[in-house]
Amino acid sequence: MARGSSTGGRRTTRVEPKMERGGATLDMRLTGADRPAAGGRVPASPPPRGRPARKPAASGGDGGGLDLGAVKGGGRGKSRAKRQRGGLTRFLRRGLYWSFVLCIWAGIAGIGVLIYYAAYLPPTSEWKVPQRPPNVRIVASDGTLMANRGDTGGEAVRLEQLPPYLPQAVIAIEDRRFYSHFGLDPLGLGRAVVTNLTSGRLAQGGSTLTQQLAKNLFLEPDRTLRRKVQEAVLALWLETNYSKDEILEMYLNRVYFGAGAYGVDAAARRYFGKSARLISVSEAATLAGLLKAPSRYAPTRNPDLAQDRAATVLAAMAEEGYLSDAEARDALAAPMRVVTHHTSASENYVADWVMERLPGYVGAIETDIIVDTTIDLGLQIIAEDSLRRALSEEGAKLGVGQGAIVTLDGSGAVKALVGGRDYSQSQFNRAVNARRQPGSAFKPFVYLAALERGLTPATVRVDEPVRIGKWAPQNYTKTYRGPVTLTEALSLSLNTVAARLAEEVGPRAIIRAARKLGISSPLASNLSISLGTSEVTPLEIAAAYTPFSNGGYAVVPHVIRSIRTVDGKVLYARAGDGPGRVVDHATLADMNMMMAQTLMTGTGKIAHLEGRPAGGKTGTSQDFRDGWFIGYTGTLTTAVWLGNDDNSPTKRATGGSLPAKIWKDVMQAGHQGLPVASLPGVSDRPVRVAEPATTPLDMPMRDIPAEGDPARRLPPMQDGEGGGGPLDLINRIFGG
C-alpha cells in the first residue's frame, strides 16, 4: 500500500493500479526512466520480462550498423505526406457531402418558394393564353394601308409568313438555346449571373423567350421574387401546352418594340414603312436589337446606337450559323431606310376619326378588322404637303401656326382630311373638332335665304353706312359703293349689304338655310350671324357647301365605306343617300352664278381655276383670327382654314390670300385627269371662266367691317342673267 493523504479531514489510501497476467504482476507505475532526464535525453527503458534486449549498434565504426535516426526521420516524412493526402481526401469528401446536402435543402427551399408563390396563381384549369388585342387595319379607297389602330399597332402574322432570318435574329440575340431548353435555361441563367457579378452591373438577363412571353401574357411588369417565380411556373406551362413554333409566333406578335408598336408587323411598319413580311436582313437585325431597350436603340431616335446594336445581332447570327460571315458583312453594309414620316403623317388624323366613329358601326371590336375608307391617298398627301409648304414659307410672316383642309366629293365622301400641320406635334383634329368663326364664308347662307324670299342676283341694295340698334357694321375701307347688285355684294363681300339682308329675312331664316345645308353647330339667332360670328368646323362647312356642287342635295360627310373581318365577313357597308334635295334648281343656279363671280372678279380671284368652272367664298374673322376659303367645282368641294390654336390674331392674314392659294393647289391636284364639269344650273346661264381682273384680296371684319375693294364693279350683265337685261338693271339701279 502506498502513501496516505488527507483531504477534508478524511484519510484516504492511494492504491497504484496493477495488471496481472499469468500470475505475474505487470507494474504500470511511472519510473524515473519514463520522465525526461537532464539535458532533454530520455534513458532507454529496460526490456520487458521474457523479451531479450536488442543490442544497440555501435555509432561510427565501419558502418556495419543501422542508423536508427535516419530510419526514424524517413518514416516520419512518409507518414506526414500520407496524412496530408488523407486529410485532403477527407476535405473533398466532406465538401461534396455538404454541397450535396446544401443542394437538397436549396431544392427543398426552392420548391417551397415555388409552391408558395404559385399558390397565388389561378387554378391551372383556368389558364389560357389571352386573345391578342384586335387590330384595326385602316385602308384608303384603293386598298393602300394608311394606319393600324388598336393596342398593338399592327396585324398578327404567321411564323411561316415571315422571312426566316427575322425569328432567327431574335433567337440569336435573345435566347440561343430556345429550341433545346424546357422553358427555363439554367445555363443561360448561370452565365448571366456570372457576367453580372464580374461586370458589376446588370449586363445580361437570364429570361428565356418563353419566360418573356409568360410575363407579357399574364403578369405585371414588376421586378419581384413573386413575379419571377410565377413567370417560371407559367413558362413551364406554356412549354407543356404549346410547341416551340407556336410559342415563338406568339412572342413575335406580342412583344413590345417601342413607339407604341407591339409585334413585328407593327414595328416593321413603324420604323421601315413596310410589312414584316418584306423586311431585309439588316432591318430584321435592327428589330431584334430593339428588344433589349426599345427607346434606346430605336433607329428613329438613335440611329448610330441602332446600327451598332444591329451589328451585334448580325454577329450573333453568324456565330449560330444562321448567316455566313460574308452575309453578315453584306447585311451590315446594306442601306437601311428608316421612316420618320409615320408619326407626323396626316393620315393619322383620318385614322383617329375612324376609331371615334367605329363603335357606332360595329360596337365592340373582338377580332381583327379592315376598314375601307373613302380617302384618296394621293390627294391626302398633296393636301398635307400643300398645307405644310404654305405654313413653312409664309406662316411666320402672316403669324399663322395651324391649318386644316377637308375635301368632299358630291356624295359627301371625304377624299382628304388634314387635321393640322404635324400630327406628331399635335393630335388635335382641327378639321373635325375645331369650331372657329367663319367670317364672310357664312354669307352664302344669308344670300340663299334672301333668294328663297324672292330676291334675285340682280336685286339691288345700297352699300352705305348702316346702324341697326346699337350695331353698326362697316366695310373694311370705310368707303361705300352705293347701289350694288346682290351678285356684286356677295363677290366683294360687302358687310353692309349682308347686314341689311339679315334684317330683311331675319336670323331664323338664315339659320334654317344653314341647317338644311348641313351646319350643325350652335348658331346665335341675331343679326351678326350674317357676318359669320357663330362658330363652325371645317368639316361641316365643307359639307354645307357641297349641295352647291352636286345639284342641291344635302350630304352626310362620311369616311367609312365598309368594315369587314380579315376572313372577309362584311360587318358594315354604306348604303343610302343623304337627306335629299334641299335647294331647288332655279335658286341653285342663281347661287352658283353669284359664287362663281367670287373667283373671277371678287375676293377669291387667287383661287381661280383656269378652264374649270368653280364657285366659292372667302372668310376672315374679326381681328384676322381666322382665314377661310371654301370652294367647289362640279366634282369636289374643299374647305381650307388657317389660324392659331390659342385664337390669337394673325398678322392680317385673309381668306383670299394663303387659304385661297392652298385651296387652288389642292383642287388642281384633285382634278388631274377628270373631265371638266359645269356648275349645276350654270350651264343654262353661261359663266365666263377667263382670267379674272385685278381686285384686292378680301378684307376682314373690323367691328365687323367689309371685305373687298369698293372701286371694283362687275361687268354689265347680259340678257338672261339674273332675270333681267341691261335696261332692267339700269332701271333697278336708278329707280327707273
Side-chain angles (χ1 to χ4, degrees):
M1 181 172 294
R3 298 182 302 272
S5 64
S6 175
T7 304
R10 294 178 59 190
R11 291 183 63 86
T12 60
T13 302
R14 179 177 179 180
V15 180
E16 297 290 345
K18 293 182 180 181
M19 296 185 67
E20 297 182 355
R21 183 176 58 186
T25 299
L26 181 62
D27 190 358
M28 296 294 292
R29 292 176 297 178
L30 295 176
T31 65
D34 296 320
R35 294 178 173 85
R41 295 177 59 189
V42 180
S45 301
R49 295 180 185 177
R51 179 178 296 178
R54 179 178 295 174
K55 185 182 289 187
S59 60
D62 59 3
L66 179 63
D67 189 347
L68 293 178
V71 172
K72 291 181 179 180
R76 284 197 300 270
K78 293 179 181 180
S79 177
R80 186 180 300 112
K82 186 175 181 180
R83 285 196 302 272
Q84 289 175 348
R85 287 194 299 271
L88 180 61
T89 302
R90 286 193 299 274
F91 175 77
L92 292 175
R93 287 177 178 174
R94 289 181 179 179
L96 290 174
Y97 171 78
W98 286 112
S99 297
F100 182 70
V101 171
L102 288 175
C103 287
I104 292 176
W105 281 109
I108 293 173
I111 293 173
V113 171
L114 193 69
I115 294 173
Y116 175 77
Y117 285 120
Y120 288 94
L121 292 170
T124 55
S125 60
E126 300 179 9
W127 293 5
K128 64 178 181 179
V129 173
Q131 183 180 5
R132 184 178 186 267
N135 178 65
V136 179
R137 179 180 171 89
I138 302 171
V139 300
S141 58
D142 62 355
T144 304
L145 177 70
M146 292 195 301
N148 284 295
R149 284 293 185 269
D151 292 339
T152 59
E155 61 185 295
V157 290
R158 300 296 303 272
L159 193 62
E160 59 267 21
Q161 294 175 323
L162 297 172
Y165 44 76
L166 176 52
Q168 289 169 355
V170 172
I171 291 173
I173 198 64
E174 289 290 316
D175 189 358
R176 298 188 180 193
R177 280 179 290 278
F178 172 73
Y179 279 104
S180 60
H181 63 61
F182 53 90
L184 307 178
D185 186 6
L187 293 177
L189 180 61
R191 184 191 68 250
V193 170
V194 172
T195 302
N196 294 336
L197 289 176
T198 55
S199 64
R201 61 186 179 88
L202 188 62
Q204 289 187 8
S207 295
T208 64
L209 293 183
T210 313
Q211 288 176 271
Q212 295 179 43
L213 177 62
K215 177 182 67 176
N216 292 338
L217 290 177
F218 305 109
L219 303 173
E220 297 296 327
D222 54 331
R223 294 189 175 187
T224 62
L225 177 61
R226 173 177 172 176
R227 200 269 291 165
K228 292 298 293 183
V229 171
Q230 292 177 342
E231 176 186 297
V233 173
L234 292 167
L236 295 174
W237 178 82
L238 285 172
E239 291 278 347
T240 303
N241 290 274
Y242 296 93
S243 69
K244 288 288 187 180
D245 284 349
E246 289 174 328
I247 291 172
L248 183 58
E249 182 177 296
M250 284 190 286
Y251 177 85
L252 292 175
N253 278 304
R254 296 171 190 252
V255 68
Y256 184 57
F257 286 90
Y262 289 84
V264 290
D265 187 70
R269 296 187 186 278
R270 168 63 185 84
Y271 296 111
F272 306 116
K274 63 177 74 173
S275 168
R277 304 172 181 88
L278 304 175
I279 63 172
S280 65
V281 177
S282 60
E283 291 166 345
T286 302
L287 293 182
L290 285 169
L291 297 174
K292 182 178 181 180
S295 60
R296 175 177 172 80
Y297 295 112
T300 52
R301 298 184 59 184
N302 300 304
D304 293 337
L305 287 178
Q307 188 174 19
D308 292 343
R309 181 65 176 164
T312 301
V313 175
L314 291 170
M317 295 176 70
E319 288 180 8
E320 293 301 304
Y322 296 132
L323 298 175
S324 66
D325 291 341
E327 289 172 333
R329 286 193 299 270
D330 291 343
L332 186 60
M336 187 169 54
R337 179 178 174 271
V338 177
V339 174
T340 57
H341 181 68
H342 178 83
T343 55
S344 63
S346 63
E347 299 95 287
N348 288 293
Y349 291 114
V350 178
D352 289 350
W353 186 37
V354 166
M355 294 303 294
E356 291 175 11
R357 308 283 297 172
L358 206 53
Y361 292 98
V362 296
I365 302 171
E366 299 178 350
T367 185
D368 287 5
I369 60 175
I370 301 172
V371 180
D372 288 308
T373 71
T374 59
I375 296 294
D376 180 334
L377 190 55
L379 183 59
Q380 175 77 24
I381 294 172
I382 289 171
E384 176 188 345
D385 290 344
S386 297
L387 178 63
R388 288 190 176 187
R389 183 173 60 255
L391 292 179
S392 176
E393 294 174 354
E394 301 185 55
K397 180 178 67 177
L398 295 175
V400 176
Q402 276 295 349
I405 300 174
V406 179
T407 297
L408 309 178
D409 69 9
S411 69
V414 178
K415 308 307 291 183
L417 185 143
V418 181
R421 182 175 190 170
D422 189 325
Y423 181 84
S424 64
Q425 296 180 2
S426 172
Q427 290 78 54
F428 178 62
N429 192 336
R430 296 156 190 83
V432 175
N433 300 316
R435 297 187 186 276
R436 308 290 298 222
Q437 288 187 351
S440 294
F442 196 83
K443 288 178 180 175
F445 310 122
V446 178
Y447 282 80
L448 176 61
L451 293 182
E452 290 178 336
R453 285 292 182 93
L455 279 67
T456 71
T459 297
V460 175
R461 290 293 180 266
V462 180
D463 175 25
E464 61 184 358
V466 61
R467 177 174 292 275
I468 306 173
K470 295 182 179 181
W471 183 44
Q474 299 177 346
N475 292 334
Y476 177 74
T477 60
K478 297 184 180 180
T479 60
Y480 305 94
R481 298 176 55 85
V484 293
T485 65
L486 296 191
T487 301
E488 185 176 6
L490 179 60
S491 66
L492 296 177
S493 200
L494 301 178
N495 289 336
T496 59
V497 176
R500 285 295 188 192
L501 291 176
E503 185 182 24
E504 288 183 42
V505 302
R508 291 185 179 179
I510 297 171
I511 292 174
R512 284 196 298 269
R515 288 277 186 248
K516 70 180 182 180
L517 265 67
I519 298 296
S520 57
S521 292
L523 300 174
S525 183
N526 54 45
L527 293 179
S528 68
I529 192 177
S530 61
L531 304 184
T533 55
S534 293
E535 298 174 337
V536 298
T537 68
L539 177 65
E540 67 178 326
I541 200 167
Y545 271 57
T546 300
F548 298 137
S549 75
N550 69 6
Y553 294 89
V555 300
V556 176
H558 59 278
V559 70
I560 298 176
R561 188 168 56 183
S562 68
I563 305 169
R564 66 183 189 277
T565 63
V566 292
D567 57 3
K569 180 182 179 181
V570 177
L571 304 178
Y572 166 81
R574 181 171 178 81
D577 299 320
R581 180 182 286 277
V582 292
V583 183
D584 65 74
H585 182 77
T587 303
L588 179 66
D590 289 342
M591 283 298 302
N592 281 335
M593 187 274 295
M594 297 168 69
M595 298 274 277
Q597 290 296 328
T598 301
L599 274 70
M600 293 195 310
T601 60
T603 58
K605 63 177 177 39
I606 289 180
H608 171 73
L609 300 177
E610 182 66 33
R612 191 177 293 272
K617 187 69 187 74
T618 58
T620 309
S621 68
Q622 192 167 0
D623 296 329
F624 300 92
R625 297 177 190 276
D626 305 274
W628 295 81
F629 192 91
I630 303 102
Y632 56 91
T633 66
T635 307
L636 298 174
T637 301
T638 294
V640 177
W641 167 82
L642 297 181
N644 295 307
D645 286 339
D646 60 0
N647 205 33
S648 60
T650 66
K651 298 176 181 178
R652 305 182 69 83
T654 64
S657 58
L658 200 55
K661 291 180 181 178
I662 296 172
W663 183 90
K664 183 175 183 177
D665 288 343
V666 174
M667 292 294 273
Q668 283 181 330
H671 287 84
Q672 290 291 329
L674 297 180
V676 175
S678 299
L679 295 180
V682 178
S683 58
D684 302 330
R685 304 174 184 186
V687 175
R688 179 169 57 87
V689 290
E691 188 65 29
T694 302
T695 184
L697 303 180
D698 66 318
M699 301 300 180
M701 295 180 290
R702 176 186 296 172
D703 238 312
I704 319 196
E707 298 179 16
D709 177 10
R712 181 67 201 169
R713 289 185 179 271
L714 289 176
M717 299 179 67
Q718 302 299 318
D719 290 343
E721 292 185 358
L727 181 59
D728 180 67
L729 179 58
I730 292 172
N731 288 334
R732 287 175 181 267
I733 293 175
F734 296 101

